[in-house]
Amino acid sequence: MMKDIDRTLALVGMLVSSLLLALLFLLGIQQPAGLFITLYLTFTYYYIMRDRLLQINTADHGRPPSLLASRPGFLVWVSVLVCGLGCLIVFSSRNILTRPIWVFGLIAVIALIILLEIVLKAYAFPGGGPSILIQIVILLVSIVLSGLISIPFNGGDTWAHLYNANIVFEHGSLNAIEGSYQNYPLYPALIYFLSEMVNLASGQAARLISILSVIGCTLFIYLLGRRNFNSTQKGLLAILLLVGSKWFIYWGTLAVSMTISIFLFTVFYALISLRLIKIEKYPTVFLYTIAIVLPFYHPAGAVAIIIVCLVYWLLGILVFRRTSLIKIKSSMILFLVLFSIIVTLTQWMYFGQTLEFAVRSLLGAVFQDTPSSISIGKSASDPITYTLDNLNFFLLLCVSSIEVLRQIKLKTDLVSLYSGISGFFLIVFAYSTQLINLQAALPYRWLLFGTIMLIVPATNIFANMLKARSFLGKAFAISAFLVFFIFGYINKDTNRDSPFYGIQYAEQYEITNSELAGLNFLLGNRDELLDNSLLLVDFRSWDYLKHYLDSPRAGYWTAFELNTNNMVFSFRDVYLDHRSAFVGDSIDTFNFTVPNLNLIYDAGDFKWFDWHPRSEGPDS
């Protein structure tokens, strides 16, 4: 059985996924059915086609077509075209709530152009690899800016970080940051530092940080892919898959501390994985530096690198202990795990509130009378909408699973094997938090880290699909890529302003049950609220409330001004200690008679904002 462990695992995967699928239907939960159907089909396909899949030749052979060889300057013109189209996308997305539909089509066109260049091996020309790399970066920046350029940065944590950046400036100390944002002190400090260094407003500096972070992730994944496969083609395909991945786009278009965590996690993952290819001494100091810094940007990133290190260590001592394949010392990984745990716990206990909050959240999820996993599974959206939202992620999971099963048998690509298994652990952890209703863990974060880990193993299979000799084979591979890429940025999570489907569910984007109750509270008390003050909501929440509020005293905000007296209150109980103003123990005790008070709902924030009249359009 150990000789055919990959086939055995595929069979076990078929049985488990089919049993879980049957259990879901028995419980009346249809929403996540698409995930288990995808897994069942993937394991079944591998079990049937296993012998053929093991014989795949993933080497990069061949030359560019002679037609392209006679036109060496075409790459310059293509790069200019991609740059022009990217600028058009960004220009057309500024200062608006809803991007034009043709913008999404233009993004797909750019991705298709780049993919065709890779298929035609244009990277083999002098300067071809860097040219296509630059084009992919332009595509990434276009996608990120088209979503990030619109005010108000999706509200929520972003405004808190911008406010804290101003606090750091005024007091000259990170200790001035209050509340749970003490858990992420370096992000507002970085915003302040960058804004001072390049003379930008704090909001623009936050945008710039997000853009630089995703670009950095792209470059390190390219480095890892190119070094691991010794192929420029696969390095380019890897980052093209990354740029088209749903959760990478989702977090890349937010101005929050997670954007820095993405970058630091990616650097850590790339450097530690390079040791699987060749022992290199120079990255060690960077690994420990990241382990020290990352907890101060976001605790989820610190936990993610601990999970990755633990998986790498366990694989080293359990699977490769008696072989000469492994080129990374288990003792080094173990020490790095212990070091990361100590640093992370130290930060949690002495520099923030993460440990106390994590313990309370876990105990609450396990012991308190919270909504059951059955009710969670039935909520939010129907099975078709949920599947369409996650189709991009399901396809990535499917392709990478095939490569991981191959490498369990072949063991010729340790980076794909280690990365894929680590990614599976992160994904299982993500869905486990939903199972016990551990809302504080926010599964989206762990799905992001899992996505990054699955890119390299998925690249090998996708590259082989593009090597199909028949026209139909290549057409299928290109079509599959377009489906993957398009659903990566039109789903309701990444495309928050112009949903193509499930519009009734998109209206509730990022609204928790408690926040929805708060919105209903606003609607139920609209007369008293509007009689005593102006009522402001954030730019995107207005799409929900505008159908119910018809008053010149109701509107939305687009900018913040720290010197005014307009306050914000929160509907999240856990944030009432530091994100609320003029609020008692519950929203029922709200004081409506406070002079000069504007009531603002912005997904749970504690900030001051300018009033923007309902009758006017958004400004810059």
Side-chain angles (χ1 to χ4, degrees):
M1 180 177 291
M2 293 303 295
K3 183 178 180 181
D4 295 328
I5 183 64
D6 58 321
R7 188 190 294 273
T8 302
L9 289 174
L11 181 60
V12 171
M14 292 166 56
L15 294 174
V16 172
S17 56
S18 59
L19 288 175
L20 290 175
L21 185 61
L23 179 62
L24 288 178
F25 280 99
L26 288 175
L27 295 175
I29 306 176
Q30 289 84 36
Q31 187 191 61
L35 170 63
F36 295 104
I37 292 175
T38 300
L39 292 174
Y40 178 79
L41 294 176
T42 300
F43 291 126
T44 302
Y45 175 77
Y46 184 86
Y47 187 83
I48 296 173
M49 304 296 295
R50 182 246 194 182
D51 293 337
R52 181 178 296 183
L53 290 170
L54 292 178
Q55 296 174 7
I56 287 177
N57 181 9
T58 58
D60 181 16
H61 297 301
R63 296 181 179 180
S66 57
L67 180 64
L68 295 182
S70 62
R71 294 172 173 81
F74 84 96
L75 277 171
V76 176
W77 293 108
V78 173
S79 299
V80 172
L81 174 64
V82 169
C83 183
L85 295 178
C87 291
L88 180 61
I89 289 172
V90 175
F91 181 80
S92 302
S93 302
R94 76 196 195 289
N95 303 331
I96 57 176
L97 175 61
T98 303
R99 288 171 288 182
I101 293 179
W102 60 263
V103 164
F104 298 92
L106 203 55
I107 292 174
V109 169
I110 297 176
L112 180 59
I113 291 173
I114 296 173
L115 179 64
L116 291 177
E117 288 181 290
I118 298 175
V119 171
L120 297 174
K121 302 184 182 300
Y123 55 84
F125 292 114
S131 297
I132 298 176
L133 175 61
I134 291 173
Q135 293 172 26
I136 296 176
V137 170
I138 292 174
L139 172 62
L140 171 63
V141 173
S142 302
I143 295 174
V144 171
L145 265 183
S146 68
L148 192 61
I149 198 171
S150 64
I151 297 173
F153 305 94
N154 199 36
D157 290 335
T158 298
W159 295 110
H161 291 307
L162 298 182
Y163 171 73
N164 287 330
N166 184 74
I167 291 297
V168 172
F169 169 74
E170 291 180 350
H171 295 82
S173 172
L174 297 178
N175 294 328
I177 298 175
E178 299 179 351
S180 66
Y181 288 105
Q182 294 172 349
N183 300 331
Y184 331 108
L186 292 187
Y187 181 66
L190 182 61
I191 293 175
Y192 161 67
F193 174 77
L194 186 61
S195 63
E196 289 293 306
M197 185 174 65
V198 296
N199 194 27
L200 287 175
S202 58
Q204 300 300 332
R207 285 189 176 105
L208 182 58
I209 290 172
S210 295
I211 293 171
L212 293 177
S213 294
V214 294
I215 291 176
C217 293
T218 303
L219 296 179
F220 273 92
I221 292 296
Y222 173 74
L223 170 66
L224 177 60
R226 189 173 183 275
R227 290 286 301 275
N228 180 56
F229 299 115
N230 193 26
S231 167
T232 300
Q233 176 209 38
K234 292 182 181 178
L236 295 172
L237 284 176
I239 60 174
L240 194 56
L241 289 175
L242 179 66
V243 170
S245 296
K246 167 186 176 176
W247 295 118
F248 186 69
I249 297 174
Y250 171 82
W251 286 106
T253 52
L254 299 179
V256 293
S257 59
M258 268 294 291
T259 56
I260 292 294
S261 295
I262 299 170
F263 170 68
L264 293 175
F265 173 84
T266 304
V267 175
F268 186 94
Y269 157 60
L271 293 181
I272 198 171
S273 296
L274 284 173
R275 288 174 165 262
L276 295 171
I277 308 169
K278 179 182 178 181
I279 296 179
E280 300 181 17
K281 299 297 184 182
Y282 68 89
T284 305
V285 63
F286 296 109
L287 294 175
Y288 286 101
T289 301
I290 293 173
I292 294 173
V293 172
L294 191 50
F296 292 89
Y297 279 105
H298 202 287
V303 175
I305 66 170
I306 292 173
I307 293 175
V308 170
C309 286
L310 281 172
V311 174
Y312 276 41
W313 175 66
L314 289 173
L315 286 174
I317 64 172
L318 297 178
V319 181
F320 298 100
R321 184 175 184 178
R322 298 181 180 180
T323 70
S324 59
L325 294 174
I326 191 68
K327 298 181 176 62
I328 184 170
K329 294 182 178 179
S330 295
S331 57
M332 189 277 289
I333 292 290
L334 179 59
F335 186 78
L336 186 58
V337 169
L338 297 175
F339 180 81
S340 301
I341 292 174
I342 292 172
V343 171
T344 301
L345 289 177
T346 301
Q347 193 275 337
W348 287 10
M349 289 187 291
Y350 297 105
F351 297 96
Q353 304 173 358
T354 305
L355 183 63
E356 177 186 356
F357 178 67
V359 172
R360 283 193 285 110
S361 299
L362 181 59
L363 292 176
V366 175
F367 296 108
Q368 290 183 1
D369 185 19
T370 56
S372 68
S373 58
I374 296 179
S375 63
I376 295 173
K378 291 180 178 178
S379 63
S381 61
D382 60 72
I384 295 178
T385 300
Y386 181 84
T387 301
L388 291 176
D389 275 346
N390 292 280
L391 182 60
N392 169 276
F393 177 69
F394 291 168
L395 290 174
L396 180 67
L397 181 62
C398 170
V399 175
S400 58
S401 297
I402 292 175
E403 179 61 12
V404 170
L405 287 171
R406 287 181 70 248
Q407 293 305 325
I408 288 176
K409 173 64 177 179
L410 299 175
K411 297 181 178 63
T412 56
D413 181 1
L414 297 184
V415 173
S416 292
L417 179 60
Y418 275 58
S419 300
I421 294 177
S422 300
F424 296 157
F425 269 86
L426 290 165
I427 292 168
V428 169
F429 180 78
Y431 285 112
S432 297
T433 60
Q434 285 188 312
L435 185 63
I436 65 172
N437 195 21
L438 183 58
Q439 298 294 336
L442 193 59
Y444 288 7
R445 295 171 181 146
W446 309 104
L447 293 176
L448 163 70
F449 296 129
T451 292
I452 293 174
M453 303 297 290
L454 296 182
I455 291 296
V456 171
T459 299
N460 221 11
I461 297 298
F462 182 58
N464 184 73
M465 293 172 61
L466 293 174
K467 288 171 59 178
R469 296 188 178 185
S470 67
F471 173 79
L472 290 178
K474 286 187 180 295
F476 173 79
I478 294 174
S479 299
F481 169 79
L482 286 178
V483 170
F484 168 82
F485 200 94
I486 290 173
F487 277 92
Y489 62 83
I490 71 166
N491 64 82
K492 294 191 289 76
D493 293 311
T494 56
N495 174 25
R496 299 178 289 269
D497 54 0
S498 183
F500 289 85
Y501 59 88
I503 296 176
Q504 68 274 26
Y505 305 111
E507 287 181 347
Q508 297 185 20
Y509 171 74
E510 283 198 346
I511 297 179
T512 64
N513 289 335
S514 59
E515 289 171 326
L516 188 58
L519 285 174
N520 292 331
F521 170 81
L522 282 181
L523 295 174
N525 295 272
R526 71 186 78 181
D527 295 335
E528 186 175 4
L529 290 170
L530 295 173
D531 286 343
N532 291 280
S533 66
L534 302 172
L535 174 61
L536 298 178
V537 296
D538 70 275
F539 206 27
R540 300 189 189 280
S541 294
W542 181 245
D543 261 359
Y544 178 85
L545 288 182
K546 68 184 179 183
H547 301 293
Y548 307 99
L549 291 176
D550 184 17
S551 169
R553 296 179 64 81
Y556 56 86
W557 49 263
T558 62
F560 73 100
E561 174 56 55
L562 297 176
N563 296 323
T564 65
N565 294 319
N566 303 327
M567 309 297 285
V568 181
F569 66 96
S570 168
F571 293 129
R572 299 184 187 183
D573 292 340
V574 70
Y575 293 152
L576 285 179
D577 59 335
H578 67 281
R579 281 191 175 183
S580 57
F582 305 122
V583 180
D585 295 333
S586 69
I587 54 178
D588 294 331
T589 62
F590 190 87
N591 183 0
F592 297 108
T593 61
V594 174
N596 303 319
L597 175 65
N598 285 355
L599 307 182
I600 308 172
Y601 170 73
D602 74 329
D605 234 316
F606 167 50
K607 295 298 149 296
W608 295 262
F609 299 90
D610 276 335
W611 161 243
H612 195 83
R614 176 176 184 262
S615 59
E616 298 181 14
D619 56 22
S620 58

